Amino acid sequence: MSTRKIYDASEKILTGDNFPTILFKEKQYTVDNRMSNYKKIQKAMAENEDDSILIELALGKEAAKEIEKMDLKVPEYKQLIVYISAAIEEIEVEEVEARFQK
């Protein structure tokens, strides 16, 4: 039986099935971490410095629009990017934070 991690902004990791999910602002967002999508994300990020493409490809256009409407503070937005990155690779948030600090 496969399990998925739910990356909660309160740093509690829950388990479930299929794709990882991020809990953010009391809403769940499923993260598309299929290899085909990961390749699209890598290419788009190399061509575009705007992190919003990561949100759109990983969470979908509807979720990206919802998040854009939230008009997040910069620290919140950066933290969301960290959580999405961790969910894509199914690694701990701290590993991604350590990468970003380098």
Side-chain angles (χ1 to χ4, degrees):
M1 181 172 158
S2 68
T3 61
R4 68 177 171 159
K5 290 184 178 182
I6 298 175
Y7 293 81
D8 182 349
S10 68
E11 298 179 316
K12 180 179 179 182
I13 299 178
L14 307 173
T15 59
D17 295 316
N18 303 323
F19 292 99
T21 302
I22 292 179
L23 297 174
F24 184 73
K25 301 280 186 179
E26 299 181 16
K27 179 147 178 148
Q28 290 189 13
Y29 297 100
T30 300
V31 178
D32 182 350
N33 69 342
R34 294 174 295 163
M35 191 62 187
S36 59
N37 196 49
Y38 180 73
K39 288 178 182 179
K40 287 179 197 173
I41 291 169
Q42 292 297 310
K43 182 178 179 189
M45 294 297 290
E47 295 173 355
N48 184 351
E49 293 183 18
D50 185 0
D51 290 334
S52 65
I53 194 74
L54 170 69
I55 295 170
E56 184 176 318
L57 289 171
L59 305 183
K61 289 183 181 187
E62 185 178 318
K65 286 178 186 177
E66 284 179 17
I67 291 166
E68 185 178 330
K69 286 180 184 178
M70 291 178 191
D71 196 22
L72 300 172
K73 294 178 183 177
V74 173
E76 289 176 314
Y77 186 84
K78 287 182 176 182
Q79 193 64 35
L80 177 60
I81 296 299
V82 168
Y83 277 86
I84 292 171
S85 298
I88 288 170
E89 294 186 50
E90 294 191 31
I91 61 175
E92 299 301 322
V93 171
E94 294 78 15
E95 288 182 56
V96 176
E97 289 174 330
R99 288 184 198 167
F100 285 156
Q101 290 176 0
K102 290 182 180 180

